[in-house]
Amino acid sequence: MKKSNLLLLALITVSSSLFFTGCESNTPIDNQAQEIVDAAIQAHQAHLFEQSTIEFDFRGRHYRSTRDGGNYVYERIFSDSTGTFHDSLSNNGFTRHQNGDLTKLAKKDADSYSNSVNSVIYFVQLPYFLNDAAVNKTYLGTSEIKGQKYDKIKVDFREKGGGKDFEDEFIYWFHQDKKTMDYLAYNYQTEGGGARFRAAYNVRSVEGIRFADYINFKPAEKSNLDIETFDALYNEDALIEVSRIDSENVKVVLK
């Protein structure tokens, strides 16, 4: 899911079947999706991530994200019975140190650890990354969730620059008045595939940036990967809670 080190894309390409034949990427519906995401980034003050250091704890592991424009370093620090590990993912690649010594890793392991670190950072800093260059955004119209009106946007990724999991698909729901990203759903192809729906809770502001934890749901039927229907299933209480996605002890230093 490596989507975080790409250049900003001003105009997003969407399926031409939604518009008149021959339309380019600056069509009204593309602009609508882009405007909604831009408004959400502003509402979350997520643009502040661009020059910042963010630290938090997630499931017993400490994470640090340091960004300086296009340069970034994502770190994960944790201990187990074999010692203390320090993982680092940056523009220069991935490294792991165990008890202070650099560890030589097989490519498969390095890719797995890199993807794991990136994934945690990616979700915590959403919607910041929705303007990455590999992102395709499509406006799907409006939706009502628990009595509130939302704009519904589909996100998928170009194979070039879209990372290891470019085939993953996401749906985001943005509150029409508050412009906040309150729900998201995604399907994934790894480990046999699956789908999840997340509902934000414990929303708080740290140094002006909006952070949220999430209740993580899955469909009752594993074969149901149609995430565009998950808002309806959530309204019908037809999703099953599987976990909580809690980022604890969040600290922010702005440059």
Side-chain angles (χ1 to χ4, degrees), residues 76 78 85-89 93-98 101-115 117:
R76 176 174 65 184
F78 65 97
F85 295 84
H86 186 168
D87 295 335
S88 179
L89 173 65
F94 178 84
T95 60
R96 163 168 282 195
H97 286 79
Q98 182 177 0
D101 297 325
L102 182 64
T103 302
K104 186 176 181 179
L105 298 170
K107 185 179 185 304
K108 179 181 178 181
D109 291 333
D111 288 346
S112 177
Y113 299 149
S114 173
N115 188 58
V117 171

Side-chain angles (χ1 to χ4, degrees), residues 165-189:
D165 301 316
F166 70 90
E167 294 179 316
D168 294 351
E169 295 179 326
F170 289 75
I171 304 291
Y172 295 92
W173 288 266
F174 299 94
H175 196 283
Q176 285 194 330
D177 296 328
K178 299 176 183 178
K179 311 303 180 185
T180 52
M181 187 192 84
D182 295 344
Y183 303 95
L184 64 99
Y186 62 97
N187 57 42
Y188 54 93
Q189 307 302 318

Side-chain angles (χ1 to χ4, degrees), residues 223-237:
S223 60
N224 184 3
L225 300 180
D226 186 6
I227 56 176
E228 291 188 28
T229 69
F230 279 16
D231 47 354
L233 294 178
Y234 182 67
N235 282 330
E236 297 167 3
D237 297 322

Side-chain angles (χ1 to χ4, degrees), residues 1 22 36 38 67 79 94 105 118-119 134 156 193 206 214 241:
M1 198 180 292
I36 290 167
D38 288 344
R67 296 193 65 87
S79 297
F94 178 84
L105 298 170
N118 184 76
S119 178
D156 57 21
V206 182
Y214 293 90
E241 180 179 341

Side-chain angles (χ1 to χ4, degrees), residues 133-243:
V135 172
N136 299 311
K137 298 188 275 287
T138 306
Y139 182 65
L140 299 181
T142 61
S143 174
E144 185 171 308
I145 302 179
K146 303 299 183 181
Q148 299 291 308
K149 294 287 188 181
Y150 286 87
D151 287 308
K152 187 173 178 178
I153 291 178
K154 177 181 178 180
V155 165
D156 57 21
F157 306 93
R158 296 187 180 94
E159 181 173 1
K160 183 178 181 180
K164 174 178 175 290
D165 301 316
F166 70 90
E167 294 179 316
D168 294 351
E169 295 179 326
F170 289 75
I171 304 291
Y172 295 92
W173 288 266
F174 299 94
H175 196 283
Q176 285 194 330
D177 296 328
K178 299 176 183 178
K179 311 303 180 185
T180 52
M181 187 192 84
D182 295 344
Y183 303 95
L184 64 99
Y186 62 97
N187 57 42
Y188 54 93
Q189 307 302 318
T190 56
E191 299 179 356
R196 294 291 186 266
F197 179 88
R198 294 185 179 182
Y201 81 109
N202 190 29
V203 177
R204 69 272 195 200
S205 177
V206 182
E207 294 295 328
I209 301 176
R210 182 186 189 268
F211 289 88
D213 298 325
Y214 293 90
I215 306 174
N216 199 27
F217 298 88
K218 69 177 181 179
E221 296 183 9
K222 184 179 180 180
S223 60
N224 184 3
L225 300 180
D226 186 6
I227 56 176
E228 291 188 28
T229 69
F230 279 16
D231 47 354
L233 294 178
Y234 182 67
N235 282 330
E236 297 167 3
D237 297 322
L239 296 173
I240 301 170
E241 180 179 341
V242 292
S243 64

